[in-house]
Amino acid sequence: MEEKIKAFMDEVKARNGHEPEFIQAVQEVAETVIPYIAEQEIYNGKNILLRMVEPERLISFRVAWVDDEGEIHVNRGYRIQMNSAIGPYKGGLRFHPTVNASILKFLAFEQVFKNSLTTLPMGGGKGGSDFDPKGKSDDEVMRFCHAFMTELCRHIGPNTDVPAGDIGVGSREIGFLFGMYKKIRNEFTGVLTGKGLSWGGSKIRPEATGYGTVYFAQNMLKTKDEDFDGKTVVISGSGNVAQYAAEKVIQLGGKVITLSDSGGYIIDKEGIDEEKLAFVMDLKNNRRGRISEYAEKYKSAEYHKGKTPWEVPCDIALPCATQNELDEKDAAVLLENGCMCVAEGANMPCTAEAVHAFHDAKILFAPGKASNAGGVATSGLEMSQNSLRISWTREEVDERLKDIMEDIHDSCIEYGMEENGFCNYVKGANIAGFVKVADAMLAQGVI
Ligand SMILES: NC(=O)C1=CN([C@@H]2O[C@H](COP(=O)(O)OP(=O)(O)OC[C@H]3O[C@@H](n4cnc5c(N)ncnc54)[C@H](O)[C@@H]3O)[C@@H](O)[C@H]2O)C=CC1
Ligand SMILES: O=C(O)CCC(=O)C(=O)O
């Protein structure tokens, strides 16, 4: 089996050698899915995984825009249309200076499995730009988004490809992108998700990724007769996912003691309550400031510049910032401090070595493609509401989100439970996500 996985990865590396994040994501899937394929007669000789690692379409384009001083800038825009076997391409747009083809291909690849796990009919895609919204005025962001959409609009549509937000793309950016799509195509359709509530958005979509991550962790904890009540929770990030993960943990009686951004982390030993979280939401979503300001405002908090929060003792860790933010050393410290559960709110925040350490220690570990799938699942619910031209209540959407997260948890158990009673959620998520897409690809023939 080792030989088979190595031969497969050699081929992937030969074609994508300069794309480390993409190779990392494929390796993790190959290690769990190739042994499964070998046992299933129907997939033999069909080269399905090799077809899945090649994007159906990779679009790259120039985005030229003018800043407030009249200077012209050029950024690179992308859309990776990875797999459409089970539905239109679906996945977020990331605006961040680190964006490149490797990062977007890893995200698009993960998205295929994640979207399959949601049980909804969505293929996988991802896109974005190396544009940095930090420090830009609202007008500059608007001009960039409009320029980006003048090209992207040729490649997307409500039945073709439906983008959404990710790092650096929130409700402000989705509004500007939607406005330009509508103007150019002269149609009002559900071509993007994460829209404002008065123009086609779904209730609970802003909350969904963070809430969903906590619902997933709740399901995991339940298998050990545990819950969030009274638990100390360490969260990284302070953006969309981190904010709503914190909100849900607080509602469930947990004590959130950290948040972070790319500058460092804050620790508040008294706990971040709803009022303090409201301060963070205003700081990050409206004033677009730094998390260090939290420690200036609240005397109970300390700011640790240039550090990540994994050194803080906790029961549960929720990495909600970015890829590879938690490595082997961080994992060792978390384990030493008695952490019992890690659920990824971000995409691939834990390095492969960190994941192996959690598995070796047999603690509860959820990969992002399972635990953060609530965001895209609720995007799927937004698409349904747009098609039906109706709007569900907050309670209805939240109930559906909870059910979907429970279904994903059940699928992970079905495919990931080992004989010794330990659930390998990585294996479970990869195989469960693979099966649905592979079966659709088999049915559709070699295309
Ligand atoms: N927004 C969504 O619905 C979904 C987001 N995700 C993933 O969740 C993660 C966070 O995304 P959002 O909260 O939406 O983005 P956001 O733009 O709202 O927030 C990103 C957060 O990560 C922090 N961050 C960025 N780079 C960092 C670095 N190098 N070190 C430490 N912190 C850093 C930022 O300061 C910010 O707090 C990403 O991995 C994203 O792909 C996953 C599923 C859905
Ligand atoms: O809501 C969506 O379509 C995409 C969310 C996303 O980008 C993700 O799940 O990583």
Side-chain angles (χ1 to χ4, degrees):
M1 193 48 60
E2 298 289 298
E3 289 286 289
K4 258 192 178 159
I5 296 169
K6 186 177 174 311
F8 174 81
M9 286 311 300
D10 283 348
E11 192 162 346
V12 173
K13 284 175 192 164
R15 212 172 278 161
N16 308 280
H18 54 296
E19 296 180 341
E21 293 85 2
F22 179 57
I23 287 167
Q24 182 184 342
V26 175
Q27 174 86 38
E28 183 228 80
V29 167
E31 281 171 8
T32 47
V33 167
I34 290 179
Y36 176 78
I37 293 175
E39 289 168 4
Q40 311 296 317
E41 191 64 31
I42 53 163
Y43 303 131
N44 273 339
K46 303 289 184 190
N47 261 347
I48 293 190
L49 198 56
L50 199 61
R51 286 193 262 156
M52 284 176 72
V53 297
E54 195 59 30
E56 289 177 10
R57 199 168 296 102
L58 195 157
I59 301 153
S60 161
F61 51 96
R62 179 178 71 205
V63 188
W65 58 281
V66 183
D67 71 17
D68 288 345
E69 271 68 54
E71 198 177 320
I72 297 167
H73 298 264
V74 178
N75 285 99
R76 188 169 292 174
Y78 300 90
R79 187 70 183 166
I80 317 270
Q81 298 182 330
M82 199 75 195
N83 193 300
S84 61
I86 62 168
Y89 308 106
K90 181 87 196 86
L93 296 171
R94 177 176 291 191
F95 291 168
H96 195 271
T98 56
V99 161
N100 57 36
S102 172
I103 290 192
L104 294 182
K105 273 172 70 178
F106 115 65
L107 290 163
F109 183 68
E110 293 275 296
Q111 199 80 47
V112 173
F113 291 80
K114 185 192 307 193
N115 293 4
S116 166
L117 282 169
T118 65
T119 70
L120 302 175
M122 300 181 290
K126 198 88 185 191
S129 174
D130 56 2
F131 172 74
D132 187 359
K134 213 182 275 174
K136 305 287 189 302
S137 69
D138 285 351
D139 282 349
E140 287 173 329
V141 171
M142 179 186 73
R143 285 196 290 277
F144 175 81
C145 289
H146 284 172
F148 185 85
M149 187 51 90
T150 55
E151 175 60 34
L152 188 69
C153 72
R154 296 172 218 274
H155 309 288
I156 61 174
N159 296 312
T160 311
D161 184 350
V162 183
D166 189 78
I167 292 180
V169 178
S171 56
R172 172 182 64 167
E173 291 74 17
I174 293 291
F176 295 146
L177 292 162
F178 184 78
M180 186 50 91
Y181 181 89
K182 184 165 62 65
K183 181 177 166 72
I184 297 176
R185 301 289 287 260
N186 194 22
E187 57 178 40
F188 195 113
T189 47
V191 67
L192 291 156
T193 59
K195 299 185 291 298
L197 287 182
S198 62
W199 42 280
S202 174
K203 301 203 174 70
I204 298 283
R205 177 60 189 92
E207 294 90 336
T209 309
Y211 279 19
T213 301
V214 175
Y215 293 151
F216 193 91
Q218 239 186 333
N219 280 297
M220 294 166 90
L221 290 167
K222 211 156 118 192
T223 66
K224 307 276 175 213
D225 287 326
E226 292 280 3
D227 57 32
F228 273 94
D229 196 24
K231 298 285 186 308
T232 299
V233 182
V234 159
I235 298 181
S236 66
S238 48
N240 172 267
V241 181
Q243 290 170 16
Y244 288 104
E247 182 168 283
K248 187 50 72 179
V249 171
I250 296 166
Q251 286 170 8
L252 295 175
K255 185 174 175 187
V256 177
I257 56 170
T258 68
L259 287 171
S260 71
D261 62 19
S262 53
Y265 78 89
I266 58 101
I267 174 165
D268 185 339
K269 289 213 168 103
E270 285 176 10
I272 299 167
D273 59 18
E274 278 177 3
E275 194 193 314
K276 292 169 175 173
L277 187 59
F279 168 81
V280 174
M281 289 185 178
D282 180 52
L283 172 72
K284 286 290 172 183
N285 307 346
N286 303 323
R287 294 191 284 125
R288 299 181 194 276
R290 307 303 294 162
I291 200 67
S292 54
E293 290 175 47
Y294 183 101
E296 288 159 23
K297 165 102 179 149
Y298 298 106
K299 295 291 155 259
S300 52
E302 280 169 21
Y303 176 61
H304 295 266
K305 193 175 169 194
K307 289 189 147 190
T308 54
W310 315 124
E311 60 189 13
V312 176
C314 65
D315 302 308
I316 297 166
L318 304 177
C320 295
T322 193
Q323 65 275 355
N324 292 329
E325 56 164 315
L326 192 165
D327 66 15
E328 199 177 5
K329 282 195 211 111
D330 300 320
V333 177
L334 281 169
L335 290 169
E336 216 172 277
N337 286 334
C339 176
M340 61 154 90
C341 173
V342 179
E344 294 186 333
N347 285 309
M348 209 170 73
C350 300
T351 64
E353 295 74 22
V355 176
H356 288 148
F358 295 140
H359 280 163
D360 289 347
K362 302 257 177 298
I363 66 158
L364 297 167
F365 172 75
K369 62 171 79 75
S371 45
N372 73 34
V376 73
T378 308
S379 280
L381 301 178
E382 182 170 329
M383 288 166 73
S384 301
Q385 293 169 80
N386 291 164
S387 298
L388 295 167
R389 303 209 187 287
I390 57 167
S391 168
W392 293 325
T393 63
R394 208 180 145 81
E395 289 70 28
E396 268 176 297
V397 181
D398 199 27
E399 268 320 301
R400 285 174 204 257
L401 171 62
K402 274 187 203 152
D403 288 347
I404 289 171
M405 297 317 294
E406 194 176 336
D407 282 349
I408 298 174
H409 184 264
D410 290 349
S411 299
C412 291
I413 297 271
E414 184 184 342
Y415 288 100
M417 188 54 86
E418 296 179 347
E419 275 164 15
N420 58 10
F422 171 70
C423 182
N424 181 332
Y425 285 88
V426 174
K427 178 175 157 197
N430 288 342
I431 298 176
F434 170 81
V435 166
K436 190 172 157 194
V437 177
D439 290 352
M441 289 175 73
L442 275 186
Q444 291 165 24
V446 180
I447 45 173

